[in-house]
Amino acid sequence: MPERKKRTYDNSRRSAQARLTRAEVHRAAFRLFGEQGYAATSLPQIAAAAGVSVETVRKMGPKSGLLDGAREVAVFDESGVDEVLDTTFLRSVAAQEDLAGAVEVLVDFYAASNQRAAAFWQAWRAAAAGDPVVAAAWEREMASAHGAFRTGIAYAAGRGWLREDVSAEELAATLWVLAASETYTRLTVDAGFTDDDYRSWLRRMLLEQLAPR
């Protein structure tokens, strides 16, 4: 009797499909959190928006566990970022030859990111006020963001792009405030800036605050 061949599975294809499913769930969570708030968003709603079963979403963890993937969509317009330094954004910054070129990349990135994600950040911060688990996730995100801005300033300083009369910590905080979604909202909603107005303001502020004296 001939030996039966063992059935093999294409693990790479299954892994790719799993990544795609996770990305769809994170993108759905990002959109719904921003549109209707974190507390008002349910796992069944996220599943329906992602086109998957509720059980699939539940296997990814509690609702609060979706915040990190949704954050990647908010910041980078993608999820499953294995290495931040390998994102299109940071590769574009690294390819620049001077601060002016890097600032143009930053302006494009933050204008698009803040327009896309301002409502999501507001929803997350509001939810943190009444949910200790969400609050802990928010604190971790703020610590991570602070570290990312410090790393960015250290990189730019190493290339000789930055002023030296202000500490690196202050420059990182300045960059964080200028690029923040709260600043974007204050200018575009409260002050009535258009997208072009915001871009011009951000470009000018970054050059004025960061460039060598």
Side-chain angles (χ1 to χ4, degrees):
M1 188 173 180
E3 182 180 355
R4 295 180 65 182
K5 293 183 179 180
K6 292 183 179 180
R7 186 177 180 182
T8 60
Y9 293 90
D10 187 345
N11 288 328
S12 63
R13 180 177 297 177
R14 293 179 67 185
S15 296
Q17 182 58 50
R19 288 195 298 270
L20 181 60
T21 298
R22 291 181 69 85
E24 290 299 320
V25 170
H26 288 149
R27 191 169 292 279
F30 160 75
R31 179 172 62 80
L32 291 175
F33 290 160
E35 288 178 356
Q36 57 191 40
Y38 175 85
T41 299
S42 67
L43 293 186
Q45 288 174 328
I46 293 172
V52 301
S53 69
V54 177
E55 185 59 29
T56 295
V57 177
R58 288 201 176 104
K59 286 180 179 178
M60 294 175 63
K63 185 169 69 169
S64 61
L66 300 178
L67 284 167
D68 190 55
R71 175 196 64 82
E72 290 180 349
V73 177
V75 177
F76 299 110
D77 199 21
E78 58 184 288
S79 68
V81 177
D82 295 322
E83 176 54 61
V84 173
L85 294 177
D86 195 39
T87 59
T88 301
F89 163 57
L90 289 181
R91 287 198 301 269
S92 297
V93 172
Q96 303 308 309
E97 297 182 354
D98 55 23
L99 178 63
V103 163
E104 289 304 313
V105 175
L106 291 172
V107 168
D108 286 341
F109 176 80
Y110 285 114
S113 177
N114 284 325
Q115 183 180 53
R116 176 176 63 249
F120 167 77
W121 294 117
Q122 290 174 349
W124 188 351
R125 186 165 198 166
D131 186 325
V133 174
V134 176
W138 177 261
E139 291 302 319
R140 289 194 298 272
E141 171 56 25
M142 291 301 97
S144 175
H146 193 185
F149 280 106
R150 284 185 293 193
T151 298
I153 287 297
Y155 173 82
R159 300 192 66 173
W161 290 351
L162 303 181
R163 60 193 298 179
E164 298 180 349
D165 60 324
V166 174
S167 71
E169 186 66 24
E170 182 176 331
L171 289 176
T174 298
L175 177 57
W176 193 2
V177 169
L178 292 176
S181 65
E182 294 93 341
T183 304
Y184 171 84
T185 300
R186 178 60 56 86
L187 291 172
T188 59
V189 176
D190 298 335
F193 276 30
T194 65
D195 181 69
D196 286 342
D197 292 335
Y198 172 75
R199 287 170 178 267
S200 295
W201 174 87
L202 183 58
R203 181 182 299 108
R204 185 172 64 256
M205 290 296 103
L206 289 171
L207 290 172
E208 288 181 1
Q209 296 301 317
L210 301 180
R213 294 295 188 265

